[in-house]
Amino acid sequence: MEKMVGKRYASLDEIKKEIEKLTGVKVAEVIKSSSDRLKGTDFMLDFEFEDDGDVYTIFYLKDNAGNYYITEI
C-alpha cells in the first residue's frame, strides 16, 4: 500500500477501491477518523478489511482541489 503515498484521490470510494486493488482484500469501509488529531500531524482516515477486526490508519492532507493527498500509511 506504500504505492498510495504521494498520490491524490478524489473520494473515499476511490481510496477504498485502490486499497482493494493493491491488497486483493475487500475493504469494509473507509471513514474520516474520529480519533483526536495530535498537533502537527496530518488528518486521518480509518479503514478495516471485511474479514479483519483491526482498524488501519491513512494520513492525508486536502489539496486546493479538494482531493485527498496521501502522506503516510
Side-chain angles (χ1 to χ4, degrees):
M1 290 189 2
E2 290 295 321
K3 292 181 179 185
M4 293 177 67
V5 175
K7 293 188 178 177
R8 289 175 168 79
Y9 299 90
S11 68
L12 295 178
D13 191 51
E14 196 175 305
I15 292 171
K16 179 181 174 182
K17 288 177 184 175
E18 184 73 2
I19 294 168
E20 290 175 343
K21 184 176 103 177
L22 292 171
T23 64
V25 181
K26 195 88 167 140
V27 173
E29 65 180 335
V30 177
I31 60 169
K32 291 184 181 177
S33 180
S34 61
S35 300
D36 291 334
R37 187 174 143 218
L38 298 174
K39 186 176 180 172
T41 62
D42 297 339
F43 299 101
M44 297 179 290
L45 298 172
D46 291 333
F47 74 94
E48 60 183 273
F49 296 111
E50 284 188 352
D51 296 336
D52 186 355
D54 294 335
V55 175
Y56 302 92
T57 302
I58 297 173
F59 293 88
Y60 74 95
L61 298 171
K62 281 275 196 149
D63 67 13
N64 291 337
N67 295 311
Y68 297 90
Y69 176 78
I70 307 302
T71 58
E72 184 181 343
I73 296 181

Coordinates of all heavy atoms in Angstrom, one line a residue:
M1 N 0.8 -1.2 0.0 CA 0.0 0.0 0.0 C 0.8 1.3 0.0 O 0.3 2.3 -0.2 CB -0.9 0.0 1.2 CG -2.0 -1.0 1.0 SD -3.4 -1.0 2.2 CE -3.1 0.3 3.3
E2 N 2.1 1.1 0.2 CA 3.0 2.3 0.2 C 3.0 3.0 -1.2 O 3.3 4.2 -1.3 CB 4.5 1.9 0.5 CG 4.7 1.5 1.9 CD 4.5 2.6 2.9 OE1 4.9 3.7 2.6 OE2 3.9 2.3 4.0
K3 N 2.5 2.3 -2.2 CA 2.3 2.9 -3.5 C 1.3 4.1 -3.5 O 1.3 4.9 -4.4 CB 1.9 1.9 -4.6 CG 3.0 0.8 -4.9 CD 2.5 -0.1 -5.9 CE 3.6 -1.2 -6.2 NZ 3.2 -2.1 -7.2
M4 N 0.5 4.1 -2.5 CA -0.5 5.2 -2.4 C 0.0 6.5 -1.9 O -0.5 7.6 -2.2 CB -1.7 4.7 -1.5 CG -2.5 3.6 -2.1 SD -3.8 3.0 -0.9 CE -4.9 4.4 -0.9
V5 N 1.2 6.4 -1.2 CA 1.8 7.6 -0.6 C 2.2 8.6 -1.8 O 2.9 8.1 -2.7 CB 2.9 7.3 0.3 CG1 3.6 8.5 0.8 CG2 2.5 6.4 1.5
G6 N 1.8 9.8 -1.6 CA 2.2 10.8 -2.6 C 1.1 10.9 -3.8 O 1.3 11.8 -4.6
K7 N 0.1 10.1 -3.7 CA -0.9 10.2 -4.8 C -2.2 10.9 -4.2 O -2.4 11.0 -3.0 CB -1.3 8.8 -5.3 CG -0.2 8.1 -6.0 CD -0.6 6.8 -6.6 CE 0.5 6.2 -7.4 NZ 0.2 4.9 -8.0
R8 N -3.0 11.4 -5.2 CA -4.2 12.1 -4.9 C -5.4 11.3 -5.3 O -5.4 10.7 -6.3 CB -4.2 13.5 -5.6 CG -3.2 14.4 -5.0 CD -3.2 15.7 -5.8 NE -2.5 16.8 -5.2 CZ -1.2 16.9 -5.1 NH1 -0.4 16.0 -5.7 NH2 -0.6 17.9 -4.5
Y9 N -6.5 11.4 -4.4 CA -7.7 10.6 -4.7 C -8.9 11.6 -4.5 O -8.9 12.4 -3.6 CB -7.8 9.4 -3.8 CG -6.7 8.4 -4.0 CD1 -5.5 8.5 -3.2 CD2 -6.8 7.4 -4.9 CE1 -4.5 7.6 -3.4 CE2 -5.8 6.5 -5.1 CZ -4.6 6.6 -4.3 OH -3.6 5.8 -4.5
A10 N -9.8 11.5 -5.4 CA -11.0 12.4 -5.4 C -12.0 12.1 -4.3 O -12.7 13.0 -3.9 CB -11.6 12.5 -6.8
S11 N -12.1 10.9 -3.9 CA -13.1 10.5 -2.9 C -12.6 9.3 -2.0 O -11.7 8.6 -2.4 CB -14.4 10.0 -3.7 OG -14.1 8.8 -4.4
L12 N -13.4 9.1 -1.0 CA -13.1 7.9 -0.1 C -13.4 6.6 -0.8 O -12.6 5.6 -0.6 CB -14.0 8.0 1.2 CG -13.7 9.2 2.1 CD1 -14.7 9.2 3.3 CD2 -12.3 9.2 2.6
D13 N -14.3 6.6 -1.7 CA -14.6 5.4 -2.5 C -13.5 5.1 -3.4 O -13.1 3.9 -3.6 CB -15.9 5.6 -3.3 CG -16.4 4.3 -3.9 OD1 -16.5 3.3 -3.2 OD2 -16.6 4.3 -5.2
E14 N -12.8 6.1 -4.0 CA -11.6 5.9 -4.8 C -10.5 5.3 -4.0 O -9.8 4.4 -4.5 CB -11.2 7.2 -5.5 CG -10.3 7.1 -6.6 CD -10.0 8.4 -7.3 OE1 -11.0 9.1 -7.7 OE2 -8.8 8.8 -7.4
I15 N -10.3 5.8 -2.8 CA -9.3 5.2 -1.9 C -9.6 3.8 -1.6 O -8.7 2.9 -1.6 CB -9.2 6.1 -0.6 CG1 -8.6 7.5 -1.0 CG2 -8.3 5.4 0.4 CD1 -8.7 8.5 0.2
K16 N -10.8 3.5 -1.3 CA -11.3 2.1 -0.9 C -10.9 1.2 -2.1 O -10.4 0.1 -1.9 CB -12.8 2.1 -0.7 CG -13.3 0.7 -0.3 CD -14.8 0.8 -0.1 CE -15.4 -0.6 0.1 NZ -16.8 -0.6 0.3
K17 N -11.3 1.6 -3.3 CA -11.0 0.7 -4.5 C -9.5 0.5 -4.7 O -9.1 -0.6 -5.1 CB -11.6 1.4 -5.7 CG -13.1 1.3 -5.7 CD -13.8 1.9 -6.9 CE -15.3 1.9 -6.9 NZ -15.9 2.7 -7.9
E18 N -8.7 1.5 -4.4 CA -7.3 1.4 -4.6 C -6.7 0.4 -3.6 O -5.8 -0.4 -3.9 CB -6.6 2.8 -4.5 CG -5.1 2.8 -4.7 CD -4.7 2.6 -6.2 OE1 -5.6 2.5 -7.1 OE2 -3.5 2.5 -6.4
I19 N -7.2 0.5 -2.3 CA -6.7 -0.4 -1.3 C -7.0 -1.8 -1.7 O -6.2 -2.7 -1.6 CB -7.3 -0.1 0.1 CG1 -6.8 1.3 0.6 CG2 -7.0 -1.2 1.1 CD1 -7.6 1.8 1.8
E20 N -8.3 -2.1 -2.2 CA -8.7 -3.4 -2.6 C -7.8 -3.9 -3.8 O -7.5 -5.1 -3.8 CB -10.2 -3.4 -2.9 CG -11.1 -3.2 -1.7 CD -12.5 -3.1 -2.1 OE1 -12.9 -2.8 -3.2 OE2 -13.3 -3.2 -1.1
K21 N -7.5 -3.0 -4.7 CA -6.7 -3.4 -5.8 C -5.3 -3.8 -5.4 O -4.8 -4.8 -5.9 CB -6.7 -2.2 -6.8 CG -5.9 -2.6 -8.1 CD -6.0 -1.4 -9.1 CE -4.7 -0.7 -9.1 NZ -4.6 0.4 -10.0
L22 N -4.7 -3.0 -4.5 CA -3.3 -3.3 -4.1 C -3.2 -4.5 -3.2 O -2.2 -5.2 -3.2 CB -2.8 -2.0 -3.4 CG -2.5 -0.8 -4.3 CD1 -2.2 0.4 -3.5 CD2 -1.5 -1.1 -5.3
T23 N -4.2 -4.7 -2.3 CA -4.1 -5.8 -1.4 C -4.8 -7.1 -1.8 O -4.5 -8.2 -1.3 CB -4.7 -5.4 0.0 OG1 -6.1 -5.1 -0.2 CG2 -4.0 -4.2 0.5
G24 N -5.8 -7.0 -2.7 CA -6.6 -8.1 -3.1 C -7.6 -8.5 -2.0 O -8.2 -9.6 -2.0
V25 N -7.8 -7.7 -1.0 CA -8.8 -7.9 0.1 C -9.9 -6.9 0.1 O -9.6 -5.7 -0.1 CB -8.0 -7.9 1.4 CG1 -8.9 -8.2 2.6 CG2 -6.8 -8.9 1.4
K26 N -11.1 -7.4 0.3 CA -12.3 -6.5 0.4 C -12.2 -5.6 1.6 O -12.0 -6.0 2.7 CB -13.5 -7.3 0.4 CG -14.8 -6.6 0.1 CD -15.0 -6.6 -1.4 CE -16.4 -6.1 -1.7 NZ -16.4 -5.2 -2.9
V27 N -12.4 -4.3 1.4 CA -12.5 -3.3 2.5 C -13.9 -3.1 2.9 O -14.8 -2.8 2.1 CB -11.8 -2.0 2.0 CG1 -12.0 -0.9 3.0 CG2 -10.4 -2.2 1.6
A28 N -14.1 -3.1 4.2 CA -15.5 -2.9 4.8 C -15.9 -1.4 4.6 O -17.0 -1.2 4.0 CB -15.5 -3.3 6.2
E29 N -15.1 -0.5 5.0 CA -15.4 0.9 4.8 C -14.1 1.8 5.0 O -13.2 1.3 5.7 CB -16.5 1.4 5.7 CG -16.2 1.3 7.2 CD -17.3 1.8 8.0 OE1 -18.2 2.6 7.6 OE2 -17.4 1.3 9.2
V30 N -14.1 3.0 4.5 CA -13.1 4.0 4.8 C -13.8 5.2 5.3 O -14.8 5.7 4.6 CB -12.3 4.3 3.5 CG1 -11.3 5.4 3.8 CG2 -11.6 3.1 2.9
I31 N -13.4 5.7 6.5 CA -14.1 6.8 7.1 C -13.1 7.8 7.6 O -11.9 7.5 7.8 CB -15.0 6.4 8.2 CG1 -14.2 5.7 9.3 CG2 -16.2 5.5 7.7 CD1 -15.0 5.5 10.6
K32 N -13.5 9.1 7.8 CA -12.7 10.1 8.4 C -12.6 9.6 9.9 O -13.6 9.3 10.5 CB -13.2 11.5 8.3 CG -13.2 12.0 6.8 CD -13.7 13.4 6.7 CE -13.6 13.8 5.3 NZ -14.1 15.1 5.1
S33 N -11.4 9.7 10.4 CA -11.1 9.2 11.7 C -11.8 10.0 12.8 O -11.8 11.2 12.7 CB -9.6 9.2 12.0 OG -9.3 8.7 13.3
S34 N -12.3 9.3 13.8 CA -12.9 10.1 14.9 C -11.9 10.2 16.1 O -12.2 10.8 17.1 CB -14.1 9.3 15.4 OG -13.8 8.0 15.8
S35 N -10.7 9.7 15.9 CA -9.6 9.8 16.9 C -9.1 11.3 16.9 O -9.2 12.0 16.0 CB -8.4 9.0 16.5 OG -8.8 7.6 16.4
D36 N -8.7 11.7 18.1 CA -8.2 13.0 18.3 C -6.9 13.2 17.5 O -6.0 12.3 17.5 CB -7.9 13.3 19.7 CG -9.2 13.5 20.6 OD1 -10.2 13.8 20.0 OD2 -9.1 13.2 21.8
R37 N -6.8 14.3 16.8 CA -5.6 14.5 16.0 C -4.5 15.2 16.8 O -4.8 16.2 17.5 CB -6.0 15.4 14.8 CG -4.9 15.6 13.8 CD -5.5 16.4 12.6 NE -4.5 17.3 12.1 CZ -4.7 18.5 11.7 NH1 -5.9 19.0 11.6 NH2 -3.7 19.2 11.3
L38 N -3.3 14.7 16.8 CA -2.2 15.4 17.5 C -1.8 16.6 16.8 O -1.8 16.6 15.6 CB -1.1 14.4 17.7 CG -1.3 13.1 18.5 CD1 -0.1 12.2 18.4 CD2 -1.7 13.4 19.9
K39 N -1.4 17.6 17.5 CA -1.0 18.9 16.9 C 0.2 18.6 16.1 O 1.2 17.9 16.4 CB -0.6 19.9 18.0 CG -0.2 21.2 17.5 CD 0.0 22.2 18.6 CE 0.3 23.5 18.0 NZ 0.4 24.6 19.0
G40 N 0.2 19.1 14.8 CA 1.3 19.0 13.9 C 1.2 17.7 13.0 O 2.1 17.5 12.3
T41 N 0.2 16.9 13.2 CA 0.0 15.8 12.3 C -1.0 16.0 11.3 O -1.9 16.9 11.4 CB -0.4 14.5 13.2 OG1 -1.7 14.7 13.8 CG2 0.6 14.2 14.2
D42 N -1.0 15.2 10.2 CA -2.0 15.3 9.2 C -3.3 14.7 9.6 O -3.4 14.1 10.6 CB -1.5 14.5 7.9 CG -0.2 15.1 7.4 OD1 0.1 16.3 7.7 OD2 0.6 14.4 6.7
F43 N -4.3 15.0 8.8 CA -5.7 14.4 9.0 C -5.6 12.9 8.8 O -4.7 12.4 8.2 CB -6.7 15.0 8.1 CG -6.8 16.5 8.2 CD1 -6.2 17.3 7.3 CD2 -7.6 17.0 9.2 CE1 -6.3 18.7 7.4 CE2 -7.7 18.4 9.4 CZ -7.1 19.2 8.5
M44 N -6.6 12.2 9.4 CA -6.5 10.7 9.4 C -7.8 10.1 8.8 O -8.9 10.6 9.0 CB -6.3 10.2 10.8 CG -5.0 10.6 11.4 SD -4.8 9.9 13.1 CE -6.0 10.9 14.0
L45 N -7.6 9.0 8.1 CA -8.7 8.2 7.6 C -8.5 6.8 8.3 O -7.4 6.4 8.4 CB -8.7 8.0 6.1 CG -8.9 9.2 5.2 CD1 -8.6 8.8 3.8 CD2 -10.2 9.8 5.4
D46 N -9.6 6.2 8.6 CA -9.5 4.8 9.2 C -10.2 3.9 8.2 O -11.2 4.2 7.6 CB -10.2 4.7 10.5 CG -9.5 5.5 11.6 OD1 -8.3 5.6 11.5 OD2 -10.1 5.9 12.6
F47 N -9.7 2.6 8.1 CA -10.4 1.6 7.3 C -10.1 0.3 7.9 O -9.2 0.1 8.7 CB -9.9 1.6 5.9 CG -8.5 1.1 5.6 CD1 -8.3 -0.2 5.3 CD2 -7.4 1.9 5.8 CE1 -7.0 -0.7 5.1 CE2 -6.1 1.4 5.5 CZ -5.9 0.1 5.2
E48 N -11.0 -0.7 7.6 CA -10.8 -2.1 8.0 C -11.2 -3.0 6.9 O -12.1 -2.7 6.1 CB -11.6 -2.4 9.3 CG -13.1 -2.2 9.2 CD -13.7 -2.4 10.5 OE1 -14.1 -3.6 10.8 OE2 -13.9 -1.4 11.3
F49 N -10.6 -4.1 6.9 CA -10.9 -5.2 5.9 C -12.1 -5.9 6.4 O -12.3 -6.0 7.6 CB -9.7 -6.1 5.7 CG -8.5 -5.4 5.1 CD1 -7.4 -5.3 5.8 CD2 -8.6 -5.0 3.8 CE1 -6.3 -4.6 5.2 CE2 -7.5 -4.4 3.2 CZ -6.3 -4.2 3.9
E50 N -12.9 -6.5 5.5 CA -14.1 -7.2 5.9 C -13.9 -8.4 6.8 O -14.7 -8.6 7.7 CB -14.9 -7.7 4.6 CG -15.6 -6.5 3.9 CD -16.5 -7.0 2.8 OE1 -16.5 -8.2 2.5 OE2 -17.2 -6.2 2.3
D51 N -12.8 -9.1 6.6 CA -12.5 -10.3 7.4 C -11.6 -10.1 8.6 O -11.1 -11.0 9.2 CB -12.0 -11.4 6.5 CG -13.0 -11.9 5.5 OD1 -14.2 -11.7 5.7 OD2 -12.5 -12.4 4.4
D52 N -11.3 -8.8 8.9 CA -10.3 -8.4 9.9 C -11.0 -7.4 10.8 O -11.5 -6.4 10.4 CB -9.1 -7.9 9.2 CG -7.9 -7.6 10.1 OD1 -8.1 -7.7 11.3 OD2 -6.9 -7.2 9.6
G53 N -10.8 -7.5 12.1 CA -11.4 -6.6 13.0 C -10.5 -5.4 13.3 O -10.9 -4.5 14.0
D54 N -9.3 -5.4 12.8 CA -8.3 -4.4 13.1 C -8.6 -3.1 12.3 O -9.1 -3.2 11.1 CB -6.9 -4.8 12.7 CG -6.4 -5.9 13.7 OD1 -6.9 -6.0 14.8 OD2 -5.5 -6.7 13.3
V55 N -8.3 -2.0 12.9 CA -8.5 -0.7 12.2 C -7.1 -0.2 11.7 O -6.2 -0.1 12.5 CB -9.2 0.4 13.1 CG1 -9.3 1.7 12.4 CG2 -10.6 -0.1 13.5
Y56 N -7.0 0.3 10.5 CA -5.8 0.8 9.9 C -6.0 2.3 9.6 O -7.1 2.7 9.4 CB -5.4 0.0 8.6 CG -5.3 -1.5 8.9 CD1 -6.4 -2.3 8.7 CD2 -4.1 -2.0 9.3 CE1 -6.2 -3.7 9.0 CE2 -3.9 -3.4 9.5 CZ -5.0 -4.2 9.4 OH -4.9 -5.5 9.6
T57 N -4.9 3.0 9.7 CA -5.0 4.5 9.5 C -4.2 4.9 8.3 O -3.0 4.5 8.1 CB -4.5 5.2 10.8 OG1 -5.3 4.7 11.9 CG2 -4.6 6.7 10.7
I58 N -4.7 5.9 7.6 CA -4.1 6.6 6.5 C -4.0 8.0 6.8 O -5.0 8.6 7.2 CB -4.9 6.4 5.2 CG1 -4.9 4.9 4.8 CG2 -4.3 7.2 4.0 CD1 -5.8 4.6 3.6
F59 N -2.9 8.7 6.7 CA -2.7 10.1 6.9 C -2.8 10.8 5.6 O -2.3 10.4 4.6 CB -1.4 10.4 7.6 CG -1.3 9.8 9.0 CD1 -0.9 8.5 9.2 CD2 -1.7 10.6 10.1 CE1 -0.8 8.0 10.5 CE2 -1.7 10.1 11.4 CZ -1.2 8.8 11.6
Y60 N -3.5 12.0 5.6 CA -3.7 12.7 4.4 C -3.8 14.2 4.6 O -4.0 14.7 5.8 CB -5.0 12.3 3.7 CG -6.3 12.8 4.4 CD1 -6.9 13.9 4.0 CD2 -6.8 12.1 5.5 CE1 -8.1 14.4 4.6 CE2 -8.0 12.5 6.1 CZ -8.6 13.7 5.7 OH -9.7 14.2 6.3
L61 N -3.7 15.0 3.6 CA -3.9 16.4 3.5 C -4.9 16.6 2.4 O -5.0 15.8 1.5 CB -2.6 17.2 3.2 CG -1.5 17.1 4.3 CD1 -0.2 17.7 3.7 CD2 -1.9 17.7 5.6
K62 N -5.7 17.7 2.5 CA -6.6 18.0 1.4 C -5.9 19.1 0.5 O -5.3 20.1 1.0 CB -7.9 18.7 1.9 CG -8.9 17.6 2.4 CD -9.7 17.1 1.3 CE -10.9 16.4 1.8 NZ -12.1 16.5 0.9
D63 N -5.8 18.9 -0.8 CA -5.2 19.9 -1.7 C -6.3 20.9 -2.1 O -7.4 20.9 -1.7 CB -4.6 19.2 -2.9 CG -5.6 18.6 -3.9 OD1 -6.8 18.8 -3.8 OD2 -5.1 17.8 -4.8
N64 N -5.9 21.9 -2.8 CA -6.7 23.0 -3.2 C -8.0 22.6 -4.0 O -9.0 23.3 -4.0 CB -6.0 24.1 -3.9 CG -5.0 24.8 -3.0 OD1 -5.1 24.8 -1.8 ND2 -4.0 25.4 -3.6
A65 N -7.8 21.5 -4.7 CA -9.0 20.9 -5.5 C -9.9 20.1 -4.6 O -10.9 19.5 -5.2 CB -8.4 20.2 -6.7
G66 N -9.6 19.9 -3.4 CA -10.4 19.0 -2.5 C -10.1 17.5 -2.5 O -10.8 16.7 -2.0
N67 N -8.9 17.2 -3.2 CA -8.5 15.8 -3.3 C -7.8 15.4 -2.0 O -7.2 16.2 -1.3 CB -7.6 15.6 -4.4 CG -8.3 15.8 -5.8 OD1 -9.3 15.3 -6.0 ND2 -7.6 16.6 -6.6
Y68 N -7.8 14.1 -1.7 CA -7.1 13.5 -0.6 C -5.7 13.2 -1.0 O -5.5 12.4 -1.9 CB -7.7 12.2 -0.1 CG -9.1 12.4 0.5 CD1 -10.2 12.3 -0.4 CD2 -9.3 12.7 1.8 CE1 -11.5 12.5 0.2 CE2 -10.6 12.8 2.3 CZ -11.7 12.8 1.5 OH -12.9 12.9 2.0
Y69 N -4.7 13.9 -0.5 CA -3.3 13.7 -0.8 C -2.7 12.8 0.3 O -2.6 13.2 1.5 CB -2.5 15.0 -0.9 CG -1.0 14.8 -1.1 CD1 -0.6 14.5 -2.4 CD2 -0.1 14.9 -0.1 CE1 0.8 14.3 -2.6 CE2 1.2 14.8 -0.3 CZ 1.7 14.5 -1.5 OH 3.0 14.3 -1.7
I70 N -2.4 11.6 0.0 CA -1.9 10.6 1.0 C -0.5 10.9 1.4 O 0.4 10.9 0.5 CB -2.0 9.1 0.4 CG1 -3.4 8.9 -0.1 CG2 -1.6 8.1 1.5 CD1 -4.5 9.0 0.9
T71 N -0.2 11.0 2.7 CA 1.1 11.4 3.2 C 1.8 10.2 3.9 O 3.0 10.1 3.9 CB 1.1 12.5 4.2 OG1 0.2 12.2 5.3 CG2 0.6 13.8 3.5
E72 N 1.0 9.3 4.5 CA 1.5 8.1 5.2 C 0.5 7.1 5.4 O -0.7 7.3 5.6 CB 2.0 8.6 6.6 CG 2.7 7.6 7.4 CD 3.2 8.1 8.7 OE1 3.2 9.3 8.9 OE2 3.5 7.3 9.6
I73 N 1.0 5.8 5.3 CA 0.1 4.7 5.6 C 0.7 3.8 6.7 O 1.8 3.5 6.7 CB -0.2 3.8 4.3 CG1 -0.9 4.7 3.3 CG2 -1.0 2.6 4.6 CD1 -1.2 4.0 2.0

